[in-house]
Amino acid sequence: MRKGAINPYIKSIGCNKLALGHNKDDLIETMLMSLIYEGRINTFKAMSYLDRTDVTVIRPLLFIDECDIKGFANKYPLPVIKSPCPADGNTKREYTKNLMLRLDKENIGAKKSMFNACLQYLDKAIN
């Protein structure tokens, strides 16, 4: 729903690109959620063209770990806004985030392997 509101707004101010803050962890979590809850392997692309709105979505932080982004935000005086969503911290995404962290802790390198699997999937989806 947020994208449905953002896309017309950015067009109204003369823009045609939308940069989202999805990071490496988000990519892996989305793939895991797709696998667990949909029974398929899927995730988002680094760049997507939305032809209905003539907007290109880019994700410039896709190769950055979430912990590095949090570290950067802690080091510099950036405004961090807590999500007003009442379900914040109690969602399938939060469960999947914790699962990914646990898998990586118990199986050193699992996160890296899952990220590489996402990249291979995206490469095959594009070609």
Side-chain angles (χ1 to χ4, degrees), residues 9 11 14 16 49 80 83 117 122:
Y9 173 73
K11 293 297 290 185
N16 65 354
Y49 176 70
V80 177
S83 172
L122 290 171

Side-chain angles (χ1 to χ4, degrees), residues 35-76:
L35 186 61
I36 294 167
Y37 300 112
E38 299 173 3
R40 65 188 181 121
I41 297 174
N42 193 31
T43 194
F44 50 78
K45 298 175 183 169
M47 184 179 74
S48 303
Y49 176 70
L50 308 175
D51 56 355
R52 286 188 307 177
T53 56
D54 189 36
V55 170
T56 301
V57 176
I58 59 172
R59 294 175 173 91
L61 303 177
L62 204 59
F63 287 85
I64 310 294
D65 288 313
E66 185 176 284
C67 64
D68 291 334
I69 295 168
K70 286 181 178 179
F72 183 89
N74 289 333
K75 184 174 180 178
Y76 297 95

Side-chain angles (χ1 to χ4, degrees), residues 73-111:
N74 289 333
K75 184 174 180 178
Y76 297 95
L78 300 175
V80 177
I81 302 167
K82 174 133 174 58
S83 172
C85 178
D88 186 41
N90 190 25
T91 62
K92 289 180 179 179
R93 181 164 293 277
E94 191 68 25
Y95 168 80
T96 306
K97 179 184 292 292
N98 292 329
L99 176 62
M100 181 189 66
L101 293 172
R102 191 172 79 231
L103 286 169
D104 194 54
K105 184 176 181 182
E106 294 172 4
N107 306 278
I108 304 299
K111 180 178 164 184

